[in-house]
Amino acid sequence: MRLSDYTTLRLGGPARRFVRAGTEEDLIEAVRAADSGGEPALILGGGSNLVVADEGFDGTVIQVATKGVRQHGEPGLVTVAAGEDWDAVVAWTLAAGLAGLECLSGIPGLAGATPIQNVGAYGQDVSQTITQVRAYDRTAAAIVTIPNDRCGFGYRTSRFRRSAGRFVVLSVTFRLAEQRASEPVRYAELATALGVAIGDRVASAEARSAVLELRRRKGMVIDPADPDTRSVGSFFVNPVLDAAALAAVEAAARARCGDGSRVPRFDAGDGLVKVPAAWLIERAGFAKGYSPGDGARISAKHTLALVNSGSATTAALMALAREIRDGVSDTFGVSLTPEPDLVGVAL
Ligand SMILES: Cc1cc2nc3c(=O)[nH]c(=O)nc-3n(C[C@H](O)[C@H](O)[C@H](O)COP(=O)(O)OP(=O)(O)OC[C@H]3O[C@@H](n4cnc5c(N)ncnc54)[C@H](O)[C@@H]3O)c2cc1C
């Protein structure tokens, strides 16, 4: 059983054991059995945010395959089993006349992984609509229900991610708006594509189509016919900088790109700004399509996506990631951190 068959990068060596869990009981039992035997366990969703070593995983891989989407209780409350395909869930909510997830269309993977890194795109992230997460707590060996304000959500992070595998997400509950109109459009590129102003609403189905179109152009919707989608999406998170770090980047940018160059930035609150990692990578000399020639390359459509062109190994992909990280650090003094979870490898 090679994990390359289960990751969107199509990379990763063998698993010692592989269990597919179709029910919550099976999922918990598989995790319990591994934990009580002192066996390492890797919870696998759609494999779209995982970089697995060529040597594979010396433990039990537990694939989440639980199903179920239901509306219940108050209007707009929807509970989704961890194993549901995320984009199908988004499409289902829109068809049911519920808004709040439309900008998260086209993101690969399963619903249970969405709270882990607080999945987000085009102005929405799941922390805005999640009310609670039900999980199996491996430390307490018990099922727990964690309300939103105790999920520790931040930019591409959460309590689940920080606790490094302690919680196995069983289901996620969202509170969505009962309306056919989208939530207000918050992302400039999406607003431009829709021909509306920031803060306007459109039909939520229209927002979904525009997001999918924008994502396809960037190779951010999985398409077996498009090798630029053999990735984990963004490989690096956008660095969040304080005023001093931003000033240093601005000085480096002027030195490298001329006096007129302006470093793009987005407000990140508390006097911090988020700078696009793609901008830093390009200005550090790594263009779209760049390849050291060993099968790993930068996507031809998006500088932030590192791609397996077909013949890469995980070692080659990680070497490319290191080269980019070091180039950005040398040029701008900014240390990029990886977005995906690294299994058996390190940057
Ligand atoms: C083309 C492409 C585009 C992408 N675009 C975006 C984007 O726009 N925004 C964004 O935020 N992300 C994006 N991603 C990243 C990825 O799709 C998301 O992080 C997604 O939520 C991962 O889901 P998964 O089921 O594939 O998780 P996996 O890759 O299988 O797992 C990721 C991590 O979560 C853990 N995990 C998975 N399921 C569970 C569970 N039930 N309980 C506990 N832990 C679990 C795994 O152990 C692992 O540590 C993109 C990826 C690709 C390939």
Side-chain angles (χ1 to χ4, degrees):
M1 178 70 73
R2 291 193 67 79
L3 289 168
S4 53
D5 292 337
Y6 296 91
T7 60
T8 53
L9 271 168
R10 299 279 156 217
L11 293 175
R16 181 137 60 88
R17 288 185 64 229
F18 189 97
V19 177
R20 181 179 159 85
T23 65
E24 263 188 21
E25 291 73 26
D26 289 350
L27 178 54
I28 294 169
E29 188 41 45
V31 176
R32 259 196 193 133
D35 287 351
S36 63
E39 165 108 345
L42 172 66
I43 309 300
L44 175 72
S48 63
N49 214 27
L50 277 175
V51 182
V52 181
D54 297 312
E55 293 72 26
F57 183 70
D58 190 19
T60 302
V61 172
I62 302 167
Q63 186 188 35
V64 182
T66 55
K67 297 289 173 217
V69 182
R70 64 190 178 94
Q71 274 187 273
H72 57 94
E74 296 161 41
L77 277 191
V78 177
T79 293
V80 184
E84 287 286 346
D85 175 78
W86 174 250
D87 189 52
V89 170
V90 175
W92 183 93
T93 61
L94 299 182
L98 300 170
L101 302 178
E102 55 279 3
C103 294
L104 305 177
S105 295
I107 297 179
L110 306 185
T114 59
I116 308 287
Q117 73 156 4
N118 184 17
V119 155
Y122 296 99
Q124 286 180 350
D125 63 45
V126 290
S127 78
Q128 296 162 354
T129 41
I130 285 179
T131 61
Q132 63 181 42
V133 174
R134 253 181 82 253
Y136 175 68
D137 178 347
R138 292 166 70 186
T139 303
I143 294 177
V144 291
T145 298
I146 305 176
N148 179 302
D149 62 358
R150 289 183 48 224
C151 290
F153 287 126
Y155 167 55
R156 294 300 163 273
T157 193
S158 69
R159 174 182 183 186
F160 310 108
R161 186 159 208 188
R162 286 188 292 270
S163 72
R166 172 173 165 184
F167 297 99
V168 179
V169 174
L170 302 173
S171 65
V172 187
T173 301
F174 298 89
R175 187 190 304 281
L176 303 173
E178 288 196 296
Q179 61 191 44
R180 296 268 169 201
S182 71
E183 290 297 320
V185 175
R186 296 194 187 94
Y187 200 82
E189 186 188 20
L190 179 59
T192 304
L194 287 163
V196 299
I198 295 276
D200 286 354
R201 296 174 193 262
V202 297
S204 53
E206 204 188 325
R208 173 174 167 82
S209 301
V211 166
L212 287 174
E213 178 54 29
L214 286 171
R215 293 184 67 94
R216 273 192 201 104
R217 273 191 240 148
K218 297 176 189 173
M220 287 290 169
V221 178
I222 297 287
D223 175 357
D226 180 356
D228 276 321
T229 69
R230 218 177 286 128
S231 76
V232 284
S234 301
F235 195 93
F236 297 104
V237 291
N238 295 319
V240 176
L241 306 179
D242 62 18
L246 178 65
V249 170
E250 283 175 322
R254 276 194 300 276
R256 188 169 177 97
C257 317
D259 278 345
S261 75
R262 184 180 185 276
V263 181
R265 81 236 19 213
F266 302 93
D267 182 30
D270 296 332
L272 303 171
V273 292
K274 204 189 286 176
V275 171
W279 189 92
L280 297 170
I281 293 169
E282 280 168 20
R283 300 308 181 285
F286 300 98
K288 292 191 181 86
Y290 170 78
S291 173
D294 51 10
R297 61 173 173 80
I298 295 179
S299 161
K301 300 189 179 73
H302 197 314
T303 323
L304 217 41
L306 306 192
V307 169
N308 167 15
S309 59
S311 57
T313 58
T314 303
L317 190 94
M318 292 305 292
L320 173 60
R322 263 177 231 118
E323 186 184 345
I324 293 169
R325 178 204 57 186
D326 293 346
V328 169
S329 174
D330 291 347
T331 310
F332 294 108
V334 172
S335 182
L336 293 180
T337 54
E339 183 179 304
D341 284 339
L342 309 180
V343 178
V345 287
L347 196 61

